Amino acid sequence: MAEIVIDGLIKSFGATPVLRDVSLRVADGEFVSLLGPSGCGKTTLLRIVAGLETQDAGTVRIGARAVDDLAPKARDVAMVFQSYALYPYMTVAENIGLPLQMRRLSRAQRLPLIGASLPGTRAIRADIEAEIVKTAEGLGIGHLLDRRPGQLSGGQRQRVALARAMVRHPAAFLMDEPLSNLDAKLRVKARAEIAGLHRRLGATFVYVTHDQTEAMTMSDRVAVMMEGRIAQFAAPQTLYDDPETLAVAAFIGAPEINVLPAKRRGDGAVEVAGAVWSAALPDAGGAELHAGVRPESWRIAPRAAHADPAWLAAEVRHIEHLGSETLIHCALARGGHAVVARVEPALAAGFRAGDGASLAPDTTKVLYFGADGARLRGARPMAARIQPALAHHG
């Protein structure tokens, strides 16, 4: 196990900058995900840590030593690739045991005929075989040791790749989208297996993904990368509840956060599509803002004439029934902005496409951003003033 410290990494491919002064500290035994859209630099960052790419500037430390001048095999990390990188002509056992053979057997001892007769070879191979079996059994693939990769499913191949990494007992595991080739059902199971593996080993994990569900469900912390920079590095729930920028807020969460144009009033309140929400915002350097409302933060009711200025008039456009929850897609009467509300199925049963609706947020959970996308923070706002007759709809 080891801490990984990344300091000021810069990397370009030709004239195209890929990493722009990236710094990151992964604690010993921590599970950190690098999350971001395609092309944001997350895989390049992982490959630099592994020694498969060379940075233009900056340093990488693993444990107590700088590894910038070390070859990949000397960095004591195990890489699990998106493609699994298994040798098709080897059995599962041979694929898993290959790192141990390369490390523990001399070149002469690895020779097919002569090697077996050399002193110590038999004992070393017995130890390697025992570790292969133990590791494979722990991942539920002990019965597959005699098969070749072409005879395995995608989920089984993914476990073989994990087993091959595990037998080395590395200081850190580096994983580059290892679940992207699995179907949805297998990904759910594989996520649980990788999280369980991390708990059992207590090792340092750095995991690259573009799938926020993977990052949010498995990680201690998540580094959101955008355009070659780390936009925010925090615990999963912090990214959702307390994003630093509009870009992070929009990237984290499904369905996406509802973003509406807003104006800050002189009294500190905010006007959004004709409604007035209490916010107690500081001077934002301009009246134009963005208001972000998570789908579950909406209160929705049948359209009625509300004296309360916090409510927005809307029309239901589409309803998605997802079993445990329902998504109600609406268009605001003023401005036509599309919004999505996440509600319980019992509440959604009272709405149909084409119905009028009224929406108001829990104003304690509305997120505000300046014109430049930076988060604006103010005093805790008062709760939305919801009419007593409609309180049961929230």
Side-chain angles (χ1 to χ4, degrees):
M1 296 186 291
E3 178 184 53
I4 298 175
V5 179
I6 298 164
D7 187 17
L9 287 193
I10 296 174
K11 176 67 177 178
S12 297
F13 291 112
T16 304
V18 178
L19 297 178
R20 308 168 189 253
D21 194 19
V22 173
S23 296
L24 189 69
R25 182 183 293 269
V26 182
D28 184 12
E30 189 176 22
F31 193 127
V32 166
S33 287
L34 306 179
L35 173 67
S38 297
C40 70
K42 56 188 185 294
T43 293
T44 299
L45 177 57
L46 192 76
R47 289 175 63 84
I48 288 174
V49 174
L52 302 176
E53 296 282 356
T54 303
Q55 66 267 35
D56 299 328
T59 61
V60 177
R61 299 184 67 86
I62 300 176
R65 59 179 183 166
V67 298
D68 304 299
D69 297 326
L70 296 182
K73 65 180 181 180
R75 297 191 179 199
D76 197 19
V77 297
M79 187 92 170
V80 180
F81 296 92
Q82 179 179 353
S83 62
Y84 313 132
L86 302 177
Y87 292 100
Y89 55 86
M90 290 184 176
T91 65
V92 167
E94 289 167 341
N95 269 284
I96 295 173
L98 184 60
L100 298 182
Q101 291 190 23
M102 298 301 293
R103 178 174 294 185
R104 297 183 186 179
L105 295 172
S106 67
R107 181 173 298 181
Q109 288 175 318
R110 294 197 300 269
L111 293 174
L113 299 176
I114 300 173
S117 63
L118 295 177
T121 301
R122 184 170 299 179
I124 295 173
R125 287 191 177 276
D127 288 342
I128 291 174
E129 184 176 346
E131 288 200 41
I132 291 170
V133 172
K134 180 181 178 181
T135 303
E137 292 290 348
L139 290 173
I141 54 174
H143 62 295
L144 303 175
L145 291 174
D146 292 330
R147 297 190 189 180
R148 285 182 166 77
Q151 299 172 299
L152 306 179
S153 68
Q156 290 168 337
R157 276 178 277 181
Q158 185 257 351
R159 293 188 204 181
V160 175
L162 282 172
R164 185 178 57 187
M166 286 174 59
V167 294
R168 293 179 50 197
H169 302 289
F173 289 83
L174 309 179
M175 299 187 176
D176 186 12
E177 303 203 52
L179 308 186
S180 60
N181 292 328
L182 305 183
D183 61 39
K185 186 175 181 179
L186 274 176
R187 279 200 301 271
V188 173
K189 184 176 181 181
R191 286 203 308 264
E193 290 175 347
I194 291 176
L197 174 65
H198 174 252
R199 287 192 298 270
R200 292 198 306 274
L201 299 178
T204 305
F205 277 50
V206 182
Y207 187 100
V208 163
T209 182
H210 66 274
D211 186 327
Q212 61 174 286
T213 301
E214 290 181 14
M216 300 288 277
T217 55
M218 295 192 295
S219 309
D220 297 313
R221 289 189 295 170
V222 178
V224 180
M225 294 190 65
M226 294 182 175
E227 298 180 345
R229 295 185 174 91
I230 294 180
Q232 190 170 350
F233 184 33
Q237 198 62 46
T238 300
L239 292 175
Y240 188 83
D241 294 335
D242 197 20
E244 293 290 342
T245 66
L246 180 57
V248 172
F251 189 76
I252 300 294
E256 287 186 15
I257 192 171
N258 299 283
V259 180
L260 300 172
K263 290 185 178 181
R264 183 179 54 82
R265 306 197 325 174
D267 58 3
V270 173
E271 183 176 337
V272 182
V276 178
W277 299 344
S278 59
L281 287 177
D283 184 357
E288 300 298 325
L289 311 172
H290 300 285
V293 183
R294 295 289 183 191
E296 65 275 11
S297 295
W298 287 116
R299 304 166 191 243
I300 188 168
R303 181 179 292 174
H306 297 306
D308 193 299
W311 288 84
L312 297 161
E315 178 181 315
V316 177
R317 292 292 178 85
H318 176 59
I319 298 176
E320 289 185 84
H321 300 283
L322 303 177
S324 61
E325 62 184 23
T326 301
L327 303 179
I328 301 180
H329 297 255
C330 300
L332 298 184
R334 184 166 175 174
H337 301 289
V339 299
V340 180
R342 178 188 279 121
V343 301
E344 295 181 359
L347 176 58
F351 293 91
R352 298 288 184 274
D355 288 352
S358 295
L359 294 159
D362 177 348
T363 54
T364 65
K365 296 182 179 178
V366 179
L367 307 176
Y368 294 100
F369 304 88
D372 61 354
R375 177 78 177 278
L376 301 175
R377 302 178 187 276
R380 179 180 292 275
M382 297 179 292
R385 297 168 291 168
I386 308 299
Q387 289 186 345
L390 296 172
H392 68 281
H393 290 291

